[in-house]
Every structure is written in C-alpha cells, then in structure tokens.
Amino acid sequence: MQIHRLPALSDNYIFLLHDPDRRIAAVVDPAEAAPVLQCLQQLQAELITIFNTHHHGDHVGGNTRLLQKFPNATVYGGENDRGRIPGPQVFLQEGDHVNFADRTAQILFVPGHTKAHIAYYFPPTHLNEPGELFCGDTLFAGGCGRLFEGTPTQMVNSLSKIRTLPDHTRIWCAHEYTLKNLQFALTVDQTNPDLQTRYETVRAMRQRSESTIPSLLQEEKRTNPFLRWDQPVLQAKVKSQDPIQTFARLRGMKDQF
Ligand code: ZN
Ligand code: FE
C-alpha cells in the first residue's frame, strides 16, 4: 500500500492509498474531488473506497463528485455521523475492521472534535514497518483538534487510545498546522529539549515549503502538549494536578493563542 499526500483547500491534506498491483485506490477525507481525480488519473487507478473520519466539509466535500465518477465506491463513516456524510455509507464503530487491498484497518472511536469522529489504524504487516494512523482532526502534529461537539474527558479518552499505539506509528493528520501548534507548545513546555529541536526542524521545513506530515507517534508523545496531560511540568503550568483539567486548560489556552 502506497500513501500519497495531496494538499487541498488552504491547509488540508487528502491521503490516497494506492495498490499498484490491483490498480485500485482508497481516499481518506476527500476535502475536494479535483486533486483526487487528478492523482487517480496519473496512477491509472480506480477508486473503490472513501474513508471519512468525520462530517466536516473540509473532510467530506469531495464525496459527491467522486461518487459520480466512481459510483461503485464504498463510503465509510462513523455510526454517529449517520445523515451527516454525503453518499450511502457503511457505518463503523470501535473495534470494526475494514479492508483495503491486502491491508486491514482497525476502527477507533475518537470523539471530542466531533461526537462521531473515528480514526483508521492500519497495523504493520511486517516487523520494522510502521503502522499508519489516519486520525482526521483528533490528533495533529504538535496539537489536537478543537472541541466542537465533545468534552475534555472524551478527548482525553480518545487521545489515550491513540497514545497506546506503537511508537513507530505514522500519524497522518488532516491539516498542516504543525508550526503554529509547536509555537503554542513552546509557551507551555519551553524547557523540553525534544520540543525545542522539533520546533527548529519544523520551522526550517516550512521555510522550504515542505510538508511536516506524517509525524511519528513517538515524537508526538515527547513533544505534543495534548498527549502530555500527566507531565508535572505542564500540570504546574496550568496549576492543576488533574489530567483532564490539565488537558482542558491547555486546550482553552490554545483556543486563545
Ligand atoms: Zn474537522
Ligand atoms: Fe478539518
């Protein structure tokens, strides 16, 4: 399975999964159809699957047009998104499995950004290979999604599920927000040497207009404040010893940043 990262709208990424042997493709969160159609054309591949993480327009905006071109494609979404995602879907919940080519994704229910958000986790098929996590707007590189429909408790539970995946899992999140996220992270975790190093790396990459996605879960655990609610440094910063409250206060500060 090859993964193509397609920039879309102002700061979204669409991920196209390609099986060159079978000439088939799947797409994760098609914000718009045009970049997907162009990539499929180049690859001479048929779209058979649309994986949606949640109902926001910048994640499902391309569904209808893609289904016009590929009416047999299957659309997947979270069961709580019933009625909110364009196209006839197969609804998924925690613990479900879906196949693409020779890979199988496990479904994680990760509410918080929305009440229905799901993530698709492809475990590694060989030793020393990374797993792949498509997590939409739940975990970002250096940050996490805003809480539009969920509570801090839900989001901490969701991020906890992600945090237990193997360190070498690649994080394919849906937005290029990394630099801004790390600028905020430095205001709450300024003595973290891994964070300082990451910030410099990301700043240089963005100056060269390079994408910072995917990141590695291991790096997120070390530098992303929204996976570090149990770190004393961050708890002291927000004057709390409660993990949920620590997360909630950090999220509130980021909303104002
Ligand atoms: Zn969203
Ligand atoms: Fe989004």
Side-chain angles (χ1 to χ4, degrees):
M1 181 173 83
Q2 296 171 358
I3 304 175
H4 297 258
R5 182 191 55 229
L6 314 177
L9 305 178
S10 59
D11 52 32
N12 277 77
Y13 290 122
I14 301 168
F15 303 114
L16 191 137
L17 319 183
H18 180 218
D19 178 340
D21 298 332
R22 297 179 181 83
R23 296 206 161 190
I24 54 172
V27 69
V28 182
D29 281 354
E32 49 185 343
V36 178
L37 293 171
Q38 193 187 354
C39 186
L40 290 168
Q41 175 91 39
Q42 277 166 7
L43 298 171
Q44 291 293 299
E46 180 196 357
L47 184 71
I48 63 162
T49 303
I50 299 176
F51 292 122
N52 291 127
T53 64
H54 67 293
H55 74 293
H56 284 159
D58 62 318
H59 298 255
V60 305
N63 279 22
T64 303
R65 204 171 141 215
L66 290 173
L67 285 168
Q68 283 165 3
K69 297 264 181 185
F70 298 96
N72 295 324
T74 306
V75 182
Y76 292 96
E79 65 168 353
N80 295 348
D81 264 334
R82 211 170 276 268
R84 302 204 297 184
I85 292 177
Q89 301 91 48
V90 177
F91 292 103
L92 301 171
Q93 53 182 302
E94 173 83 23
D96 281 346
H97 290 86
V98 280
N99 298 317
F100 170 71
D102 55 353
R103 299 287 293 265
T104 300
Q106 300 169 6
I107 303 308
L108 307 179
F109 179 48
V110 288
H113 177 66
T114 71
K115 63 180 184 181
H117 204 301
I118 58 172
Y120 298 83
Y121 172 60
F122 291 86
T125 46
H126 300 288
L127 225 60
N128 301 323
E129 260 185 18
E132 318 289 0
L133 179 72
F134 298 93
C135 53
D137 291 352
T138 298
L139 179 66
F140 289 130
C144 76
R146 271 178 197 261
L147 303 184
F148 285 119
E149 296 179 350
T151 64
T153 305
Q154 282 179 320
M155 194 59 147
V156 167
N157 284 339
S158 297
L159 293 169
S160 294
K161 281 182 201 173
I162 292 175
R163 208 168 65 160
T164 60
L165 297 174
D167 274 348
H168 54 277
T169 303
R170 292 199 288 188
I171 306 297
W172 300 87
C173 60
H175 291 272
E176 180 63 62
Y177 289 160
T178 318
L179 183 61
K180 184 101 195 282
N181 284 339
L182 295 179
Q183 280 165 354
F184 169 75
L186 276 174
T187 68
V188 292
D189 196 13
Q190 52 270 77
T191 57
N192 178 341
D194 293 324
L195 175 57
Q196 293 163 352
T197 306
R198 187 181 188 190
Y199 174 73
E200 291 306 328
T201 306
V202 163
R203 197 174 56 153
M205 289 173 83
R206 294 307 294 152
Q207 269 168 4
R208 298 190 297 264
S209 299
E210 290 173 23
S211 171
T212 63
I213 308 304
S215 65
L216 268 190
L217 182 57
Q218 182 173 46
E219 189 165 39
E220 299 305 331
K221 288 203 262 187
R222 288 182 183 153
T223 60
N224 187 329
F226 298 103
L227 292 179
R228 291 165 61 75
W229 53 77
D230 41 20
Q231 292 292 316
V233 180
L234 288 167
Q235 294 185 348
K237 188 78 190 174
V238 300
K239 300 187 172 61
S240 174
Q241 287 172 358
D242 175 67
I244 306 285
Q245 195 172 53
T246 299
F247 174 85
R249 289 184 181 172
L250 289 169
R251 187 57 256 182
M253 290 166 73
K254 176 66 170 61
D255 289 345
Q256 307 298 322
F257 183 69

